[in-house]
Amino acid sequence: MEASSKGKNRRRGKKRRKASGNQPPEASVDVSEQAPSALTSKRRKLGAATSSKVNKPTSFLDKMRARLSGGHFRMLNEKLYTCSGNEAFDYFKEDPELFSVYHTGYQEQMSRWPEQPVNIIITWLKSRNPSLTVADFGCGDARLAKNVKNKVFSIDLVSNDPSVIACDMSQTPLESSSVDVAVFCLSLMGTNYPSYITEATRVLKTGGWLLIAEVKSRFDPNNGGADPVEFSEAIKDLGFSLVSQDMKNKMFILFYFRKKEKSASARNINWPELKACIYKRR
Ligand code: SAH
């Protein structure tokens, strides 16, 4: 039973990949969600269970709701990784509710990670002067701003909180040379990611920090991912020095850069492609 349902899952996985053949290559993140084949048999069993144990109907409904929202999350996640920031902004503008759907799924995925990069960045900021001004590019639920004393400009595609600036982060309303720390925590999602880093370069002061946390599999050259050295070289060419690179976490990699006095044009830089990070069904 086990083996055959796994086989079906694999075949379905292949079909899905074929369908998205013209999209950027995918980085897979191993998360536990079952494919519909396993789901169907489980649904039958659950159906039987709920008809005999009428006192537990909510657990069945809750499970079905969770499945649906898991699928919806994966669809939105793929969308964000395979379109430009501009398109993503328009997409959510049309239906801001989708942003909540995305973030419910995102938090569910994050709860399985042994460590969340945003917490490492919070600890890093707390060990520094709280007078440093921060810009959190792709802030999500603005957890960073809520957990530090610093002035934080929280930026995302949708604003669910008055403190969050809703915009495509390739064009923010922030003043040039106005922030000390620019953070991208799992947010280099669009196909035009270099334009986000260019925008951060514009708003950073000389000597300012650029912190980038990204899913590790996106930087695994043995698995179709970008070479982390090529990535950091591109950012160095833009006008940064690499201070350190933290590779010790299982799920993500964290780069710490500082802005130099002179910046270059992003156009002449050889930016490596960053794969989409698609969450797998299991
Ligand atoms: N940094 C947060 C959330 C990460 S999820 C955390 O670590 O918890 C990635 C976030 O980046 C999402 O909220 C998504 O909406 C945002 N994002 C992706 N592309 C964006 C863009 N072009 N402009 C603004 N926000 C963007």
Side-chain angles (χ1 to χ4, degrees):
M1 258 321 257
E2 265 291 282
S4 84
S5 82
K6 271 189 185 161
K8 272 185 198 167
N9 292 355
R10 261 198 295 275
R11 280 197 292 282
R12 278 172 197 277
K14 269 186 192 154
K15 263 190 199 160
R16 276 169 56 79
R17 272 195 289 282
K18 237 184 185 172
S20 59
N22 60 348
Q23 287 167 347
E26 300 170 355
S28 296
V29 175
D30 203 15
V31 291
S32 57
E33 261 196 88
Q34 284 150 325
S37 51
L39 204 160
T40 317
S41 69
K42 200 151 190 198
R43 187 184 287 158
R44 275 193 219 108
K45 280 183 206 152
L46 277 166
T50 46
S51 55
S52 59
K53 288 188 185 172
V54 278
N55 56 338
K56 276 193 173 175
T58 49
S59 101
F60 171 74
L61 284 175
D62 287 349
K63 279 182 181 161
M64 289 303 107
R65 274 194 204 106
R67 294 267 150 76
L68 279 173
S69 69
H72 209 165
F73 162 72
R74 283 194 306 277
M75 188 273 283
L76 292 168
N77 182 65
E78 187 165 344
K79 170 85 190 160
L80 285 173
Y81 276 112
T82 52
C83 73
S84 68
N86 246 335
E87 284 173 81
F89 183 68
D90 290 343
Y91 187 75
F92 280 124
K93 202 171 175 185
E94 235 166 69
D95 191 351
E97 268 302 298
L98 293 179
F99 192 72
S100 311
V101 173
Y102 174 76
H103 273 284
T104 305
Y106 176 80
Q107 292 307 336
E108 159 68 10
Q109 298 294 344
M110 281 299 118
S111 66
R112 298 169 203 205
W113 286 28
E115 179 72 87
Q116 293 190 31
V118 67
N119 291 334
I120 307 238
I121 294 170
I122 289 168
T123 307
W124 184 89
L125 277 171
K126 281 183 169 166
S127 72
R128 288 187 153 68
N129 196 325
S131 69
L132 296 177
T133 303
V134 182
D136 185 8
F137 288 81
C139 64
D141 61 4
R143 189 192 299 191
L144 185 58
K146 288 175 194 153
N147 285 281
V148 295
K149 291 193 180 127
N150 309 57
K151 162 78 190 151
V152 180
F153 295 103
S154 300
I155 298 155
D156 211 302
L157 295 164
V158 172
S159 171
N160 279 339
D161 184 294
S163 69
V164 175
I165 304 166
C167 66
D168 165 25
M169 61 191 174
S170 65
Q171 279 178 302
T172 71
L174 304 186
E175 298 278 322
S176 296
S177 307
S178 62
V179 310
D180 300 290
V181 186
V183 174
F184 290 91
C185 187
L186 307 180
S187 58
L188 293 180
M189 301 183 88
T191 49
N192 57 324
Y193 84 86
S195 63
Y196 307 148
I197 298 175
T198 307
E199 176 65 355
T201 312
R202 181 186 71 77
V203 305
L204 271 173
K205 298 174 187 169
T206 298
W209 291 88
L210 170 66
L211 271 52
I212 301 178
E214 262 309 325
V215 177
K216 210 169 202 172
S217 56
R218 301 185 89 193
F219 290 101
D220 178 3
N222 297 324
N223 215 358
D227 183 339
V229 174
E230 269 178 34
F231 179 74
S232 53
E233 281 303 318
I235 294 180
K236 278 154 80 178
D237 288 348
L238 190 59
F240 287 85
S241 49
L242 176 64
V243 178
S244 61
Q245 193 173 305
D246 177 355
M247 305 280 280
K248 67 177 177 293
N249 291 286
K250 187 172 171 229
M251 302 301 276
F252 60 90
I253 175 169
L254 192 39
F255 300 91
Y256 298 81
F257 297 95
R258 279 195 102 161
K259 188 180 163 182
K260 295 202 285 202
E261 211 165 318
K262 286 205 172 106
S263 315
S265 160
R267 259 168 300 178
N268 307 322
I269 292 169
N270 195 10
W271 295 97
E273 187 184 346
L274 289 187
K275 301 195 299 179
C277 172
I278 307 297
Y279 292 89
K280 271 196 292 194
R281 272 191 294 221
R282 279 209 298 204

